[in-house]
Amino acid sequence: MSNIAPVVQNPFRQRFAAFTADRREPDAIARLRREGLDRFASLGWPTRQQEAWRLADLGALAQIDLQRPADALVDAGTLPTLDLPTHQLTFVNGRFAPGLSRLRELPNQALIASLGQALLTHPERIEPHLERLPGLGQHPFAALNTAFWEDGAFVYLPRATVAETPVHLLFHIAGDDIAVYPRLLLVLEDGAQATVVVEYRGKGRYLNAPVAELQLGAGAVLHYHQIQEESSPAFHLGGVRVRQDRDSQANLHLVSFGGQLARTDLEVLLDGEGASCVLNGLILANDQQMGDYHVRVEHAQPRGSSEQLFKSVLDGKARSVFDGMIHVRPHAQKTDARQTNRNLLLSKQAQANANPRLEILADDVKCGHGSTTGFLNPDALFYLRARGIPAAQARTLLVHAFANDSLNRIQLTPLRERLASSLAARLALGSIEEP
Amino acid sequence: MLEIRNLHATVEGREILKGIDLVVRPGETHAIMGPNGSGKSTLANVIAGREGYEVTEGEILFDGKNLLEMAPEIRACEGLFLAFQYPVEIPGVANLYFLKAAVNAVRKYRGEPPVDAMDFWELVHERMELVKMDESMLKRSVNEGFSGGEKKRNEVFQMAVLQPRFAVMDETDSGLDIDALRVVADGVNALRGPERGFLVITHYQRLLDYIVPDHVHVLFNGRIVRSGGKELALELEEQGYALYNEEPGRARRAAA
């Protein structure tokens, strides 16, 4: 363990005592928290000597004396909407904000609620699932989340329940030098179907370290969208773990636009025969921003399929990391696994790091991966200019074409359109309105 | 409308064009023929303003304006059009969106308001018929997955919508079967008129059966070695370029 780790850990230990002192929770949950803290202590604060954190500069974050946030008021008018009926839960600084939330009628036995409240009313539905999924064991911030989460969302759909209305989970943070640990637990029992949009955003210099746990029963279908638009000085160090049973389908869209350092570790375990997942990630980064996806897809059973498409658009001195592992266990025959990483550099100082990896222990599988990094195609630029389109607009068009390939996979139209205009605004390219 | 004077151009330090003189007046269609490597496509690219081509001597005037000082998009806005030999595939940009962006870029340059949506739609439909293009191609990404013939038709379609004053067709016939060739030629012929000039670059005489030129020039080794009427194309068809390959001196004398 590195020398600086204990120094940094001490405040977390002290804060843990204060944090847990007034919490009234089932013993099982209190135990999970202690285990999380112990795991963080043994993992230590990540250093660049660790392979998994080699490219992440956490020095600036380590300098901040991260406090538990105070309550904050947020003007409802500033929060994003989806322009369609949703089950909406809003959390401000990690705490449930009922006034900014709106729940609609749910099918029998289904539950969409704040995790804290659900723990009081339905502990028997939460305890079997919380912190039970494998993965993220080496992720120090996921461990901190387990120790320090205050609240979050619980989405539970019983067997064969189809939630037609999308679930919109909004995590807003306001403040400086604070750390927030939102938690999401989603349980789809056999044959259940849900569409979920998770949005992370805020104002100030803070750490957001969310953890999402997504459990899909046999034949369940999930469309999950995670939109990261944190404030530009913020740190986002999150984790998503997914376990899929037989014939379930997970479509995961991860969009990363904000933050100075934004990383999501995503681990998917295909734990039933014929389970399939589509992982679609997009990073847009500018200036000194860094966007990072660490992905592990674990094929544990036969006939599973996984398709990954991770893209980044980098301007200024921005950097991106894609670290993607496909691991096929010996038993997982007839696996079909694909992984694609494409990076578009808009400046010579931008840098994309790609680390695609395959570990295949079965002999009858189809696996493929590819990674490309490059600048805009000069032939395409010339083609557009030769038709009268000014150079700046031609570049805009091509950048959007590259990113829209990712965004167009999002089926939720209002979300897709909002992201497209957010992308345009962030690129500060202006002229992408209808020509 | 297009005057090329003593044009010399290099690519990666190698001189490809070695003194071209050519004048195209409004309403005229000129054909440039020549074997591979004679400089045909270089000429087209220099006119359109592609990077990587350096003009070392000479000038090109477009309606009296210095073309070589203009950015490629300005040339287009001034009314110049290049039909590409190898149209570029642009995944993620819908054909119709691209075309509207181009039309509006030209209108903006002229100080005109953006095109009315209904007017644009009507124009597009009318021009689609001209090149027998299917409507589904409008929604597809620019040239993506198009066959060779579809790409060339798309070039002529764009030209028909943009209605340039002067068009350079760079080997528009290459890779086309006879039906596609006819469609493309019909499209070009429909646009011919007293105010419009064409420079048709081709390796083969075949295209000139359908787009009958007013003047034919033979480009060889970076120079126009012979000029004549449309019958020159037929002569080349019979004799090939062997004459110039073997004895360029004699060919130049013949041109003189």
Side-chain angles (χ1 to χ4, degrees):
Chain A
M1 203 179 298
S2 87
N3 292 333
I4 61 159
V7 181
V8 182
Q9 281 163 37
N10 278 337
F12 287 107
R13 274 233 185 264
Q14 284 165 18
R15 259 174 231 136
F16 187 74
F19 173 70
T20 49
D22 60 342
R23 291 192 80 82
R24 263 171 253 132
E25 289 176 325
D27 288 347
I29 302 299
R31 193 168 57 245
L32 286 179
R33 292 190 187 280
R34 282 194 301 277
E35 287 169 7
L37 187 73
D38 291 343
R39 197 165 70 247
F40 175 74
S42 74
L43 289 169
W45 185 265
T47 69
R48 300 183 77 159
Q49 278 74 53
Q50 291 167 292
E51 177 59 26
W53 296 89
R54 187 171 57 87
L55 295 162
D57 188 354
L58 295 175
L61 180 62
Q63 298 304 312
I64 303 173
D65 183 19
L66 292 166
Q67 299 294 326
R68 191 175 169 190
D71 288 334
L73 283 175
V74 174
D75 179 1
T78 63
L79 297 175
T81 61
L82 282 180
D83 255 347
L84 47 82
T86 57
H87 302 286
Q88 174 150 5
L89 294 184
T90 300
F91 300 83
V92 177
N93 286 352
R95 289 163 202 146
F96 181 49
L100 300 171
S101 303
R102 178 174 182 171
L103 289 168
R104 292 163 190 273
E105 205 172 318
L106 281 167
N108 249 354
Q109 301 293 313
L111 185 61
I112 298 175
S114 111
L115 191 56
Q117 287 182 355
L119 205 49
L120 299 174
T121 56
H122 299 80
E124 77 288 352
R125 288 198 196 159
I126 292 173
E127 283 171 24
H129 298 291
L130 191 72
E131 194 69 16
R132 294 299 162 108
L133 300 188
L136 304 180
Q138 300 300 310
H139 194 298
F141 296 95
L144 278 180
N145 180 291
T146 299
F148 286 101
W149 67 267
E150 272 193 65
D151 206 345
F154 179 53
V155 177
Y156 170 82
L157 296 187
R159 197 182 170 83
T161 306
V162 177
E164 303 282 358
T165 306
V167 180
H168 188 197
L169 307 174
L170 198 52
F171 295 92
H172 185 88
I173 298 176
D176 289 315
D177 304 340
I178 54 175
V180 180
Y181 304 95
R183 191 88 182 189
L184 164 62
L185 177 61
L186 176 136
V187 179
L188 300 184
E189 293 203 335
D190 295 355
Q193 300 188 14
T195 297
V196 178
V197 178
V198 180
E199 300 204 57
Y200 297 114
R201 50 172 56 219
K203 245 186 155 160
R205 186 181 68 160
Y206 55 81
L207 165 67
N208 187 12
V211 167
E213 297 180 285
L214 315 175
Q215 164 80 47
L216 280 73
V221 179
L222 173 66
H223 297 275
Y224 175 85
H225 314 75
Q226 177 175 306
I227 316 302
Q228 183 278 107
E229 293 193 271
E230 306 284 15
S231 72
S232 49
F235 296 84
H236 180 105
L237 298 165
V240 179
R241 54 182 161 215
V242 186
R243 183 186 164 274
Q244 294 185 240
D245 213 332
R246 180 172 50 81
D247 296 324
S248 62
Q249 292 173 41
N251 300 290
L252 273 55
H253 304 276
L254 308 178
V255 174
S256 178
F257 284 173
Q260 64 164 295
L261 172 58
R263 166 168 168 164
T264 295
D265 286 49
L266 167 63
E267 301 203 16
V268 180
L269 172 65
L270 299 175
D271 208 9
E273 198 166 333
S276 69
C277 68
V278 175
L279 312 178
N280 176 29
L282 176 65
I283 290 171
L284 174 68
N286 200 344
D287 300 328
Q288 311 267 358
Q289 273 184 296
M290 174 157 176
D292 183 335
Y293 288 125
H294 269 64
V295 181
R296 181 184 176 94
V297 176
E298 182 85 19
H299 284 266
Q301 297 294 333
R303 271 175 278 282
S305 74
S306 63
E307 187 190 329
Q308 304 176 42
L309 173 65
F310 283 85
K311 288 189 150 191
S312 71
V313 179
L314 305 175
D315 203 351
K317 291 180 177 169
R319 291 186 300 149
S320 72
V321 175
F322 173 70
D323 187 298
M325 159 70 92
I326 298 172
H327 187 261
V328 183
R329 293 187 192 168
H331 180 58
Q333 300 294 1
K334 307 280 183 197
T335 284
D336 188 345
R338 271 173 251 273
Q339 180 192 78
T340 307
N341 171 231
R342 296 200 191 294
N343 306 300
L344 176 60
L345 307 180
L346 301 180
S347 96
K348 292 212 163 87
Q349 287 89 43
Q351 189 189 84
N353 300 276
N355 188 17
R357 292 176 290 155
L358 293 176
E359 267 180 32
I360 302 169
L361 305 175
D363 52 16
D364 182 14
V365 300
K366 272 199 287 187
C367 286
H369 65 139
S371 178
T372 58
T373 297
F375 298 100
L376 285 174
N377 175 1
D379 290 336
L381 263 180
F382 177 65
Y383 191 79
L384 295 172
R385 294 178 71 190
R387 295 294 176 257
I389 298 171
Q393 192 188 348
R395 270 190 282 275
T396 307
L397 256 170
L398 294 177
V399 172
H400 279 262
F402 179 87
N404 280 339
D405 174 40
S406 259
L407 295 182
N408 285 341
R409 292 162 183 246
I410 294 173
Q411 288 169 21
L412 214 51
T413 307
L415 178 64
R416 186 181 60 239
E417 288 173 351
R418 211 191 72 203
L419 290 173
S421 44
S422 177
L423 181 91
R426 285 176 183 279
L427 286 165
L429 294 171
S431 55
I432 63 106
E433 72 273 14
E434 265 305 292
Chain B
M1 67 194 316
L2 188 80
E3 290 176 62
I4 301 177
R5 290 184 191 147
N6 189 33
L7 184 69
H8 290 252
T10 61
V11 178
E12 290 169 358
R14 206 160 65 90
E15 188 169 52
I16 308 291
L17 300 182
K18 301 170 182 172
I20 304 264
D21 290 282
L22 181 69
V23 176
V24 181
R25 293 175 190 82
E28 289 182 351
T29 297
H30 289 237
I32 300 249
M33 301 185 67
N36 292 332
S38 57
K40 300 193 300 293
S41 282
T42 297
L43 178 60
N45 284 316
V46 168
I47 293 173
R50 194 182 200 114
E51 279 177 28
Y53 297 82
E54 196 191 341
V55 174
T56 50
E57 213 182 323
E59 60 180 356
I60 304 179
L61 299 178
F62 187 45
D63 287 339
K65 294 181 194 167
N66 184 346
L67 192 73
L68 297 175
E69 281 184 355
M70 300 177 195
E73 56 267 36
I74 303 299
R75 300 181 196 202
C77 290
E78 285 281 337
L80 184 80
F81 183 91
L82 170 66
F84 282 63
Q85 183 180 5
Y86 303 110
V88 184
E89 297 195 7
I90 309 182
V93 179
N95 223 0
L96 189 65
Y97 183 93
F98 158 63
L99 207 52
K100 200 171 174 190
V103 166
N104 280 335
V106 175
R107 289 178 69 94
K108 190 174 178 187
Y109 180 79
R110 293 190 194 136
E112 296 168 6
V115 64
D116 172 80
M118 282 307 291
D119 291 350
F120 180 68
W121 191 239
E122 273 175 30
L123 174 70
V124 160
H125 270 259
E126 185 192 306
R127 299 296 151 144
M128 244 164 36
E129 305 233 324
L130 192 66
V131 289
K132 300 188 172 51
M133 223 172 80
D134 191 77
E135 197 174 312
S136 67
M137 282 168 75
L138 294 176
K139 292 189 180 138
R140 286 163 64 186
S141 291
V142 177
N143 294 321
E144 193 185 30
F146 285 24
S147 70
E150 283 174 332
K151 283 181 182 168
K152 296 302 176 77
R153 254 190 286 173
N154 198 25
E155 293 295 290
V156 178
F157 169 61
Q158 290 170 31
M159 179 171 76
V161 171
L162 290 167
Q163 305 179 63
R165 289 183 300 122
F166 186 84
V168 180
M169 320 291 297
D170 188 8
E171 306 223 11
T172 302
D173 52 330
S174 64
L176 292 188
D177 64 30
I178 197 71
D179 292 331
L181 186 69
R182 219 172 259 149
V183 169
V184 163
D186 286 350
V188 172
N189 287 330
L191 292 172
R192 287 173 75 172
E195 300 304 322
R196 205 166 269 149
F198 284 90
L199 191 62
V200 179
I201 292 173
T202 180
H203 187 101
Y204 303 103
Q205 179 271 338
R206 189 179 69 149
L207 177 67
L208 305 181
D209 286 342
Y210 300 96
I211 304 174
V212 180
D214 303 301
H215 301 274
V216 176
H217 311 275
V218 179
L219 187 64
F220 183 78
N221 195 20
R223 291 185 182 90
I224 290 177
V225 293
R226 201 168 160 205
S227 297
K230 63 187 175 201
E231 65 287 345
L232 179 55
L234 292 169
E235 191 186 313
L236 283 169
E237 176 76 357
E238 282 168 21
Q239 300 180 357
Y241 296 108
L243 181 66
Y244 306 97
N245 273 324
E246 286 157 10
E247 291 180 68
R250 196 174 107 193
R252 265 203 302 281
R253 279 197 298 282

